[in-house]
Amino acid sequence: MKTMVTANQKGGVGKTATLVHLAFDFVERGLRVAVVDLDTQGNASYTLQAFACGCTASRMFNGAEGLADHFGDMDDGGLMRLIESDPQMADMEKRSISEAGAAFRANIEALEAAGFDVVLIDTAPSLGVGLAAALLSADYVLSPIELEAYSIQGIKKMVTTIANVRKANPKLKFLGMVPSKVDARNPRHGRHLADLEQAYPQLLIPAGVGLRSSIADALASGVPVWKIRKTAARKAAKEVRALADHVITKMEIV
């Protein structure tokens, strides 16, 4: 089983949209996917509500015994189970990182024992206990980034955070940053993209996603963008599929 976190210390950068579409794509490839929503905003939980299994995110910070009881039949073939955000996640900030990290790691191991192929973890846009615990337990981290000044500042902090976490979790690999909500007509976006390519030539993923209203339509409808019956959705679907191809190859799942 492989575990991936989507993270950025700046909100509104397309983090949840990226994770949700990767989940839908992976299921269509026949993978058993667990989505863990650690963001108290609960946006991934809203979009993926049809896949809720009755297990909450705060449950992932308690004992792992009985966790598999939530998942039901795990036959071969693609499926998704949502471990949804809940208000008790706010209480996690009172826990120590070592305590929360150990409990979360034990539950990730329980997900593997239950038969999942991949775990995708959405996180809050801040360096809190939840994000730290997720990074300490993960194999990979992916950072969507909007081509705006505040988002670029956030990714600089994220790169530093990942480097620090790798001292305690050396298996953690940074898949890179995904240019998200890219407006090709905006010269500022073009300048910022060029700056990022120069500053992080090895970390910028060559599979960005444009500023597409069809993606917002898909998230609101609880479906992937390739299910949206609009001509404008075709370009978005092509971009998201290309990103999924890149990520699944880098994660060495298939």
Side-chain angles (χ1 to χ4, degrees), residues 10 38 90 140 163 175 179 188 196-197 235 249:
K10 168 70 174 64
L38 298 185
Y140 301 96
L175 293 176
R188 185 176 64 256
L196 286 170
E197 288 172 338
K235 179 65 173 177
T249 299

CSV table of all heavy atoms in Angstrom, one decimal, residues 10 38 90 140 163 175 179 188 196-197 235 249:
chain,number,residue,atom,x,y,z
A,10,LYS,N,-0.8,27.2,2.3
A,10,LYS,CA,-1.7,28.2,1.8
A,10,LYS,C,-3.0,27.6,1.3
A,10,LYS,O,-2.9,26.6,0.5
A,10,LYS,CB,-1.0,29.0,0.7
A,10,LYS,CG,-1.9,29.9,-0.1
A,10,LYS,CD,-2.3,31.1,0.7
A,10,LYS,CE,-3.1,32.2,-0.1
A,10,LYS,NZ,-4.4,31.6,-0.6
A,38,LEU,N,-8.4,15.2,6.6
A,38,LEU,CA,-8.0,15.8,7.9
A,38,LEU,C,-8.2,17.3,8.0
A,38,LEU,O,-7.8,17.9,9.0
A,38,LEU,CB,-6.5,15.5,8.1
A,38,LEU,CG,-6.0,14.0,8.2
A,38,LEU,CD1,-4.5,14.0,8.5
A,38,LEU,CD2,-6.8,13.3,9.3
A,90,ALA,N,-10.5,19.4,15.4
A,90,ALA,CA,-10.0,20.6,16.0
A,90,ALA,C,-9.3,20.3,17.3
A,90,ALA,O,-8.4,21.0,17.7
A,90,ALA,CB,-11.1,21.6,16.2
A,140,TYR,N,4.5,9.6,0.3
A,140,TYR,CA,4.7,10.7,-0.7
A,140,TYR,C,3.9,11.9,-0.2
A,140,TYR,O,2.9,11.8,0.5
A,140,TYR,CB,4.2,10.2,-2.1
A,140,TYR,CG,4.9,9.0,-2.6
A,140,TYR,CD1,4.3,7.7,-2.5
A,140,TYR,CD2,6.1,9.1,-3.3
A,140,TYR,CE1,5.0,6.6,-3.0
A,140,TYR,CE2,6.7,8.0,-3.8
A,140,TYR,CZ,6.2,6.8,-3.7
A,140,TYR,OH,6.8,5.7,-4.1
A,163,ALA,N,11.5,18.8,4.3
A,163,ALA,CA,12.9,18.5,4.5
A,163,ALA,C,13.1,18.2,6.0
A,163,ALA,O,13.8,17.3,6.4
A,163,ALA,CB,13.8,19.7,4.1
A,175,LEU,N,6.8,14.4,-4.3
A,175,LEU,CA,6.5,14.2,-5.7
A,175,LEU,C,6.7,15.5,-6.5
A,175,LEU,O,6.9,15.5,-7.7
A,175,LEU,CB,5.1,13.7,-5.8
A,175,LEU,CG,4.8,12.3,-5.3
A,175,LEU,CD1,3.3,11.9,-5.5
A,175,LEU,CD2,5.7,11.3,-6.1
A,179,PRO,N,1.3,23.1,-10.6
A,179,PRO,CA,0.7,24.3,-11.0
A,179,PRO,C,-0.8,24.2,-11.1
A,179,PRO,O,-1.3,23.3,-11.9
A,179,PRO,CB,1.4,24.7,-12.3
A,179,PRO,CG,2.6,23.9,-12.3
A,179,PRO,CD,2.3,22.7,-11.7
A,188,ARG,N,1.1,37.6,-15.2
A,188,ARG,CA,1.6,37.4,-13.9
A,188,ARG,C,1.8,35.9,-13.6
A,188,ARG,O,2.9,35.5,-13.0
A,188,ARG,CB,0.7,38.0,-12.8
A,188,ARG,CG,1.3,37.9,-11.4
A,188,ARG,CD,0.4,38.6,-10.4
A,188,ARG,NE,-0.9,38.0,-10.2
A,188,ARG,CZ,-2.0,38.5,-10.8
A,188,ARG,NH1,-2.0,39.6,-11.5
A,188,ARG,NH2,-3.2,37.8,-10.6
A,196,LEU,N,9.4,29.8,-10.7
A,196,LEU,CA,9.4,28.5,-10.1
A,196,LEU,C,10.2,27.5,-10.8
A,196,LEU,O,10.9,26.7,-10.2
A,196,LEU,CB,7.9,28.0,-9.9
A,196,LEU,CG,7.0,28.7,-8.9
A,196,LEU,CD1,5.6,28.2,-9.0
A,196,LEU,CD2,7.6,28.4,-7.5
A,197,GLU,N,10.1,27.6,-12.1
A,197,GLU,CA,10.9,26.6,-12.9
A,197,GLU,C,12.4,26.9,-12.7
A,197,GLU,O,13.2,25.9,-12.7
A,197,GLU,CB,10.6,26.8,-14.4
A,197,GLU,CG,9.2,26.2,-14.8
A,197,GLU,CD,8.8,26.6,-16.2
A,197,GLU,OE1,9.3,27.6,-16.8
A,197,GLU,OE2,7.9,25.9,-16.7
A,235,LYS,N,-11.0,19.8,-21.8
A,235,LYS,CA,-9.6,20.2,-21.6
A,235,LYS,C,-9.2,19.9,-20.1
A,235,LYS,O,-8.1,19.4,-19.9
A,235,LYS,CB,-9.5,21.7,-21.9
A,235,LYS,CG,-8.1,22.3,-21.7
A,235,LYS,CD,-7.1,21.7,-22.6
A,235,LYS,CE,-5.7,22.4,-22.5
A,235,LYS,NZ,-4.7,21.8,-23.3
A,249,THR,N,2.7,6.9,-11.8
A,249,THR,CA,4.0,6.4,-12.2
A,249,THR,C,5.0,6.7,-11.1
A,249,THR,O,5.8,5.8,-10.8
A,249,THR,CB,4.4,7.0,-13.5
A,249,THR,OG1,3.4,6.7,-14.5
A,249,THR,CG2,5.8,6.5,-14.0
